[in-house]
Amino acid sequence: MCRSVLCALLGLSLGLVNSFPTEQPEGGKNWVVIVAGSNGWYNYRHQADACHAYQIVHKNGIPDEQIVVMMYDDLAQNEENPTPGVLINRPNGTDVYKGVPKDYTGSDVTPENFLAVLKGDSSKVKVYATTAANPHESSYACYYDEKRDTYLGDWYSVNWMEDSDVEDPTKETLLKQFKIVKSHTNTSHVQQYGNKTIAHMKIIAFQGNPKAINQLPPMTLQPITDPDLTPSPDVPLAILKRKMMASNDITIVRGLLMEINTHLKYEYALRNLYALVNVCERGYPAERIQLSMDSVCHFNK
């Protein structure tokens, strides 16, 4: 029995991983692994992306027993959710949470469990993957929602899923989708890796079951004129600033200002430590690093 595997990783800048580039044989199965690697209300968009991905493959005929979903599942009943039990992935969008399987949630969403799900004979796996950005840049959040005080999606993830929503998966290839998504995702450099011959296969080979697909009329999505694009590392600060600007309560504003100051002092510093870590890992001597830092530090001038 042959199989194809679609793995959608949300919140990790990695979008589609497609394995086993063979046409589906008689008796073969498509398996889908959907992972949102974050939690918390600030990261709403990642689990909303994951739920949207589930709705696509479910609509395209993949049965739930062949779909594995890993997400923290702390949003639907979150006290900050103004619509309990409902998650959306675009402004005024439909509920993407309904019906989503709960295979791994909470503390069970771990790298170990993810690898256990994928475990197999790696020598037989051929992979085609696309990502939101190159290794040196950030992906972008999109669709800020003032009612929910958070971003509803990630720009790259939303672009490939909304393309899957409106296109015929039996006709569109992965390569065509990649080119469309790359042209729409103009805030970062969308990449493709691995066995690119897979990209010439039809989307349905990985995002659905051609024998069980529901023949529904194409979905029509209203264009969003301002997607509110924000670099992912800046999302917490952007949300705090928006909440502060929207409030008339001086007590709330003061509390938000304290949160902003804390974020600026600590989280931004930690985020930028990666540059120092990189040069240390490459073996540069401490004296050379110090000299380089002194040469560009304006406080020493």
Side-chain angles (χ1 to χ4, degrees):
M1 179 180 292
C2 192
R3 63 174 179 167
S4 65
V5 179
L6 165 69
C7 181
L9 307 179
L10 295 313
L12 302 173
S13 295
L14 181 62
L16 294 178
V17 180
N18 303 293
S19 304
F20 295 92
T22 56
E23 296 299 333
Q24 195 69 1
E26 190 70 29
K29 290 184 177 181
N30 283 5
W31 292 85
V32 177
V33 182
I34 300 172
V35 183
S38 68
N39 62 356
W41 194 252
Y42 282 144
N43 291 318
Y44 178 106
R45 62 196 186 279
H46 299 148
Q47 292 184 63
D49 289 341
C51 292
H52 187 175
Y54 163 79
Q55 300 299 340
I56 289 171
V57 296
H58 177 75
K59 178 191 71 174
N60 287 346
I62 302 291
D64 282 358
E65 58 265 26
Q66 290 165 218
I67 303 172
V68 178
V69 178
M70 302 181 72
M71 66 178 188
Y72 207 81
D73 195 27
D74 59 339
L75 303 181
Q77 301 303 329
N78 193 294
E79 62 181 11
E80 296 191 65
N81 190 351
T83 56
V86 173
L87 300 180
I88 62 175
N89 199 215
R90 73 184 333 253
N92 302 312
T94 57
D95 178 20
V96 294
Y97 183 74
K98 184 178 181 180
V100 176
K102 312 296 192 307
D103 298 296
Y104 294 85
T105 61
S107 60
D108 289 331
V109 181
T110 64
E112 293 76 19
N113 282 339
F114 170 65
L115 293 175
V117 170
L118 295 182
K119 189 176 181 180
D121 186 348
S122 60
S123 65
K124 295 180 180 179
V125 177
K126 297 180 180 180
V127 173
Y128 170 72
T130 69
T131 64
N134 66 36
H136 310 293
E137 63 187 354
S138 169
S139 60
Y140 277 66
C142 65
Y143 299 160
Y144 186 80
D145 186 286
E146 293 183 355
K147 181 178 180 180
R148 292 169 176 80
D149 287 327
T150 194
Y151 289 86
L152 302 178
D154 290 283
W155 190 225
Y156 158 81
S157 300
V158 162
N159 281 333
W160 78 255
M161 287 188 288
E162 291 190 352
D163 179 76
S164 291
D165 283 333
V166 301
E167 294 290 341
D168 184 342
T170 65
K171 296 179 181 179
E172 186 178 41
T173 63
L174 290 171
L175 181 60
K176 180 182 177 182
Q177 183 172 80
F178 170 77
K179 290 180 178 180
I180 291 172
V181 173
K182 185 176 182 179
S183 67
H184 290 171
T185 310
N186 53 11
T187 50
S188 59
H189 297 83
V190 174
Q191 304 291 304
Q192 59 177 338
Y193 299 98
N195 186 342
K196 296 178 183 177
T197 60
I198 299 175
H200 296 284
M201 294 179 64
K202 299 295 191 295
I203 286 175
I204 192 63
F206 300 97
Q207 296 181 29
N209 180 353
K211 296 180 180 179
I213 185 172
N214 297 321
Q215 296 296 332
L216 299 175
M219 182 182 295
T220 300
L221 297 174
Q222 295 298 320
I224 307 297
T225 55
D226 182 8
D228 276 319
L229 302 179
T230 301
S232 290
D234 295 340
V235 164
L237 183 61
I239 291 175
L240 289 170
K241 286 182 176 179
R242 284 176 178 265
K243 290 171 73 173
M244 186 180 70
M245 296 299 293
S247 178
N248 293 319
D249 188 318
I250 188 63
T251 303
I252 292 177
V253 169
R254 285 175 178 170
L256 290 169
L257 278 173
M258 291 178 64
E259 286 190 62
I260 289 171
N261 287 334
T262 299
H263 184 85
L264 290 173
K265 286 180 180 178
Y266 300 107
E267 294 190 28
Y268 264 54
L270 289 173
R271 193 186 92 193
N272 289 296
L273 275 177
Y274 79 91
L276 182 59
V277 171
N278 285 343
V279 295
C280 290
E281 288 182 341
R282 292 179 182 178
Y284 290 102
E287 295 79 7
R288 182 176 175 184
I289 296 173
Q290 184 66 55
L291 286 172
S292 297
M293 293 171 66
D294 290 342
S295 69
V296 298
C297 183
H298 68 274
F299 291 111
N300 293 333
K301 297 178 182 179

Coordinates of all heavy atoms in Angstrom, one line a residue, residues 22-69:
T22 N 3.9 10.0 -5.6 CA 3.4 9.0 -6.5 C 1.9 9.2 -6.6 O 1.2 9.6 -5.6 CB 3.6 7.6 -6.0 OG1 3.1 7.5 -4.6 CG2 5.1 7.2 -5.9
E23 N 1.3 8.9 -7.7 CA -0.1 9.0 -7.9 C -0.8 8.0 -6.9 O -0.3 6.9 -6.7 CB -0.6 8.8 -9.3 CG -0.1 9.8 -10.3 CD -0.6 11.2 -9.9 OE1 -1.7 11.3 -9.3 OE2 0.1 12.2 -10.3
Q24 N -1.9 8.3 -6.4 CA -2.5 7.5 -5.4 C -3.0 6.2 -6.0 O -3.8 6.1 -6.9 CB -3.7 8.2 -4.8 CG -4.3 7.6 -3.5 CD -3.3 7.8 -2.4 OE1 -2.2 8.4 -2.5 NE2 -3.7 7.2 -1.2
P25 N -2.5 5.0 -5.6 CA -2.9 3.7 -6.1 C -4.1 3.2 -5.5 O -4.6 3.8 -4.5 CB -1.7 2.8 -5.7 CG -1.2 3.4 -4.4 CD -1.5 4.9 -4.5
E26 N -4.6 2.1 -6.1 CA -5.8 1.5 -5.5 C -5.5 1.1 -4.1 O -4.6 0.4 -3.8 CB -6.3 0.3 -6.4 CG -7.6 -0.2 -6.0 CD -8.7 0.7 -6.4 OE1 -8.6 1.5 -7.4 OE2 -9.8 0.7 -5.7
G27 N -6.4 1.5 -3.1 CA -6.2 1.1 -1.8 C -5.2 1.9 -1.0 O -5.0 1.7 0.2
G28 N -4.6 2.9 -1.6 CA -3.7 3.8 -0.9 C -4.4 4.8 -0.1 O -5.6 5.0 -0.3
K29 N -3.7 5.5 0.8 CA -4.3 6.5 1.7 C -3.5 7.7 1.7 O -2.3 7.7 1.7 CB -4.5 5.9 3.1 CG -5.5 4.8 3.3 CD -5.6 4.4 4.7 CE -6.7 3.3 4.9 NZ -6.8 2.9 6.3
N30 N -4.3 8.9 1.9 CA -3.6 10.1 2.2 C -3.7 10.4 3.7 O -4.8 10.3 4.3 CB -4.4 11.3 1.5 CG -4.0 11.4 0.0 OD1 -3.3 10.5 -0.5 ND2 -4.5 12.4 -0.7
W31 N -2.6 10.8 4.3 CA -2.6 11.1 5.7 C -2.2 12.6 5.8 O -1.4 13.1 5.1 CB -1.6 10.2 6.4 CG -2.0 8.8 6.5 CD1 -1.7 7.8 5.6 CD2 -2.7 8.2 7.6 NE1 -2.3 6.6 6.0 CE2 -2.9 6.8 7.2 CE3 -3.2 8.6 8.8 CZ2 -3.5 5.9 8.0 CZ3 -3.9 7.7 9.6 CH2 -4.0 6.3 9.2
V32 N -2.8 13.2 6.8 CA -2.6 14.7 7.0 C -2.2 14.9 8.4 O -2.8 14.4 9.4 CB -3.8 15.5 6.7 CG1 -3.5 17.0 6.9 CG2 -4.2 15.3 5.2
V33 N -1.0 15.6 8.6 CA -0.6 16.0 10.0 C -0.6 17.5 10.0 O 0.1 18.2 9.2 CB 0.8 15.4 10.3 CG1 1.2 15.8 11.7 CG2 0.9 13.9 10.1
I34 N -1.4 18.1 10.9 CA -1.5 19.5 11.1 C -1.0 19.9 12.5 O -1.5 19.4 13.5 CB -3.0 19.9 10.9 CG1 -3.5 19.5 9.5 CG2 -3.1 21.5 11.1 CD1 -5.0 19.7 9.3
V35 N -0.1 20.8 12.5 CA 0.5 21.2 13.8 C 0.6 22.7 14.0 O 1.0 23.4 13.1 CB 2.0 20.7 13.9 CG1 2.6 21.0 15.2 CG2 2.1 19.2 13.6
A36 N 0.1 23.2 15.1 CA 0.3 24.6 15.5 C 1.2 24.5 16.7 O 0.9 23.9 17.7 CB -1.1 25.2 15.9
G37 N 2.4 25.2 16.6 CA 3.4 25.0 17.6 C 3.5 26.1 18.6 O 4.5 26.4 19.2
S38 N 2.3 26.7 18.9 CA 2.4 27.8 19.9 C 1.1 27.8 20.7 O 0.1 27.1 20.4 CB 2.5 29.2 19.2 OG 1.3 29.5 18.5
N39 N 1.0 28.6 21.8 CA -0.2 28.7 22.6 C -0.3 30.2 23.0 O 0.5 31.0 22.7 CB -0.2 27.8 23.8 CG 1.0 28.1 24.7 OD1 1.8 29.0 24.5 ND2 1.0 27.4 25.8
G40 N -1.4 30.5 23.7 CA -1.6 31.9 24.1 C -2.4 32.7 23.2 O -2.4 32.5 21.9
W41 N -3.2 33.7 23.7 CA -4.0 34.5 22.9 C -3.3 35.3 21.9 O -3.8 35.6 20.7 CB -4.9 35.4 23.8 CG -6.1 36.0 23.1 CD1 -6.2 37.3 22.7 CD2 -7.2 35.4 22.6 NE1 -7.4 37.5 22.0 CE2 -8.0 36.3 21.9 CE3 -7.7 34.0 22.6 CZ2 -9.3 36.0 21.4 CZ3 -8.9 33.8 22.1 CH2 -9.7 34.7 21.4
Y42 N -2.1 35.8 22.2 CA -1.3 36.6 21.3 C -1.0 35.7 20.0 O -0.9 36.3 18.9 CB 0.1 37.0 21.9 CG 0.0 38.1 22.8 CD1 0.8 38.2 24.0 CD2 -0.8 39.2 22.6 CE1 0.8 39.3 24.8 CE2 -0.9 40.3 23.4 CZ -0.1 40.3 24.6 OH -0.1 41.4 25.4
N43 N -0.9 34.4 20.1 CA -0.6 33.6 19.0 C -1.8 32.9 18.4 O -1.7 31.9 17.8 CB 0.4 32.5 19.5 CG 1.7 33.0 19.8 OD1 2.3 33.8 19.1 ND2 2.3 32.6 20.9
Y44 N -3.0 33.5 18.6 CA -4.3 33.0 18.1 C -4.1 32.6 16.7 O -4.7 31.5 16.3 CB -5.3 34.2 18.2 CG -6.7 33.9 17.7 CD1 -7.7 33.8 18.5 CD2 -6.9 33.9 16.3 CE1 -9.0 33.6 18.1 CE2 -8.2 33.7 15.8 CZ -9.3 33.6 16.7 OH -10.5 33.4 16.2
R45 N -3.4 33.3 15.8 CA -3.4 33.1 14.4 C -2.9 31.7 14.0 O -3.3 31.1 13.0 CB -2.5 34.1 13.7 CG -1.1 34.2 14.2 CD -0.4 35.5 13.8 NE 1.1 35.4 14.1 CZ 1.6 35.6 15.3 NH1 0.8 35.9 16.3 NH2 2.9 35.6 15.5
H46 N -2.0 31.1 14.8 CA -1.4 29.8 14.5 C -2.4 28.7 14.6 O -2.5 27.9 13.7 CB -0.2 29.5 15.4 CG 0.9 30.6 15.3 ND1 1.7 30.9 16.4 CD2 1.3 31.3 14.3 CE1 2.6 31.8 16.0 NE2 2.4 32.1 14.7
Q47 N -3.2 28.7 15.7 CA -4.2 27.6 15.8 C -5.3 27.9 14.9 O -6.0 26.9 14.4 CB -4.6 27.5 17.3 CG -3.5 27.0 18.2 CD -4.0 26.8 19.6 OE1 -4.9 26.0 19.9 NE2 -3.4 27.6 20.6
A48 N -5.7 29.1 14.6 CA -6.7 29.4 13.6 C -6.3 28.9 12.2 O -7.1 28.4 11.5 CB -7.0 30.9 13.6
D49 N -5.0 29.1 11.9 CA -4.4 28.6 10.6 C -4.6 27.1 10.6 O -5.0 26.5 9.6 CB -3.0 28.9 10.5 CG -2.7 30.4 10.2 OD1 -3.6 31.1 9.8 OD2 -1.5 30.8 10.4
A50 N -4.2 26.4 11.7 CA -4.3 25.0 11.8 C -5.8 24.5 11.6 O -6.0 23.5 10.9 CB -3.8 24.5 13.1
C51 N -6.7 25.1 12.2 CA -8.1 24.7 12.1 C -8.6 24.9 10.7 O -9.3 24.1 10.1 CB -9.0 25.5 13.1 SG -8.7 25.1 14.8
H52 N -8.2 26.0 10.0 CA -8.5 26.3 8.6 C -8.0 25.1 7.7 O -8.7 24.6 6.8 CB -8.0 27.6 8.2 CG -8.4 28.1 6.9 ND1 -8.1 29.3 6.4 CD2 -9.2 27.5 5.9 CE1 -8.6 29.4 5.2 NE2 -9.3 28.3 4.9
A53 N -6.7 24.7 8.0 CA -6.1 23.7 7.2 C -6.9 22.4 7.3 O -7.2 21.6 6.4 CB -4.7 23.4 7.7
Y54 N -7.4 22.1 8.6 CA -8.3 20.9 8.8 C -9.5 21.0 7.9 O -9.9 20.0 7.3 CB -8.6 20.8 10.2 CG -9.8 19.8 10.4 CD1 -9.6 18.4 10.3 CD2 -11.1 20.3 10.6 CE1 -10.7 17.6 10.5 CE2 -12.2 19.5 10.7 CZ -12.0 18.1 10.6 OH -13.1 17.2 10.7
Q55 N -10.2 22.2 7.9 CA -11.4 22.3 7.2 C -11.2 22.1 5.7 O -12.1 21.5 5.0 CB -12.0 23.7 7.4 CG -12.3 24.1 8.8 CD -13.4 23.1 9.5 OE1 -14.1 22.5 8.8 NE2 -13.4 23.1 10.8
I56 N -10.0 22.5 5.2 CA -9.8 22.3 3.7 C -9.7 20.8 3.4 O -10.3 20.3 2.5 CB -8.5 23.0 3.3 CG1 -8.7 24.5 3.3 CG2 -8.0 22.5 1.9 CD1 -7.4 25.3 3.2
V57 N -8.8 20.0 4.2 CA -8.6 18.6 3.8 C -9.9 17.8 4.1 O -10.2 16.8 3.5 CB -7.4 18.0 4.5 CG1 -6.1 18.7 4.0 CG2 -7.5 18.2 6.0
H58 N -10.6 18.2 5.2 CA -11.9 17.5 5.5 C -12.9 17.7 4.4 O -13.5 16.7 4.0 CB -12.4 18.1 6.8 CG -13.7 17.5 7.2 ND1 -13.9 16.2 7.8 CD2 -15.0 18.0 7.2 CE1 -15.1 16.0 8.0 NE2 -15.9 17.0 7.7
K59 N -13.0 18.9 3.9 CA -13.9 19.2 2.8 C -13.5 18.4 1.5 O -14.4 18.0 0.8 CB -13.9 20.7 2.5 CG -14.8 21.1 1.3 CD -14.5 22.6 0.9 CE -13.2 22.7 0.2 NZ -13.0 24.1 -0.3
N60 N -12.2 18.2 1.4 CA -11.7 17.5 0.2 C -11.7 16.0 0.3 O -11.1 15.3 -0.6 CB -10.3 18.0 -0.2 CG -10.3 19.4 -0.7 OD1 -11.4 20.0 -1.1 ND2 -9.2 20.1 -0.8
G61 N -12.4 15.5 1.3 CA -12.6 14.1 1.4 C -11.7 13.2 2.2 O -11.7 12.0 2.2
I62 N -10.7 13.9 3.0 CA -9.9 13.1 3.9 C -10.7 12.8 5.2 O -11.1 13.7 5.8 CB -8.6 13.8 4.2 CG1 -7.8 14.2 3.0 CG2 -7.7 13.0 5.2 CD1 -7.2 13.0 2.3
P63 N -10.8 11.5 5.5 CA -11.6 11.2 6.7 C -10.8 11.5 8.0 O -9.6 11.6 8.0 CB -11.8 9.7 6.6 CG -10.7 9.2 5.8 CD -10.4 10.3 4.8
D64 N -11.5 11.8 9.1 CA -10.8 12.3 10.3 C -9.8 11.2 10.8 O -8.8 11.6 11.5 CB -11.9 12.5 11.4 CG -12.6 13.9 11.2 OD1 -12.2 14.6 10.2 OD2 -13.5 14.2 12.0
E65 N -10.1 9.9 10.6 CA -9.1 8.9 11.1 C -7.8 9.0 10.4 O -6.8 8.3 10.8 CB -9.7 7.5 11.0 CG -10.1 7.1 9.6 CD -11.6 7.4 9.3 OE1 -12.2 8.3 9.9 OE2 -12.2 6.7 8.5
Q66 N -7.7 9.8 9.3 CA -6.4 9.9 8.6 C -5.9 11.4 8.7 O -5.0 11.8 7.9 CB -6.6 9.6 7.1 CG -6.9 8.1 6.8 CD -7.4 7.8 5.5 OE1 -8.2 6.9 5.3 NE2 -6.9 8.5 4.4
I67 N -6.4 12.1 9.7 CA -6.0 13.5 10.0 C -5.5 13.5 11.4 O -6.2 13.1 12.3 CB -7.1 14.5 9.8 CG1 -7.6 14.4 8.3 CG2 -6.6 15.9 10.1 CD1 -8.9 15.3 8.1
V68 N -4.3 13.9 11.6 CA -3.8 14.1 13.0 C -3.6 15.6 13.2 O -2.9 16.3 12.5 CB -2.4 13.4 13.2 CG1 -1.9 13.6 14.6 CG2 -2.6 11.9 12.9
V69 N -4.2 16.1 14.3 CA -4.1 17.5 14.6 C -3.4 17.7 16.0 O -3.8 17.1 17.0 CB -5.5 18.2 14.7 CG1 -5.4 19.6 15.1 CG2 -6.2 18.1 13.4

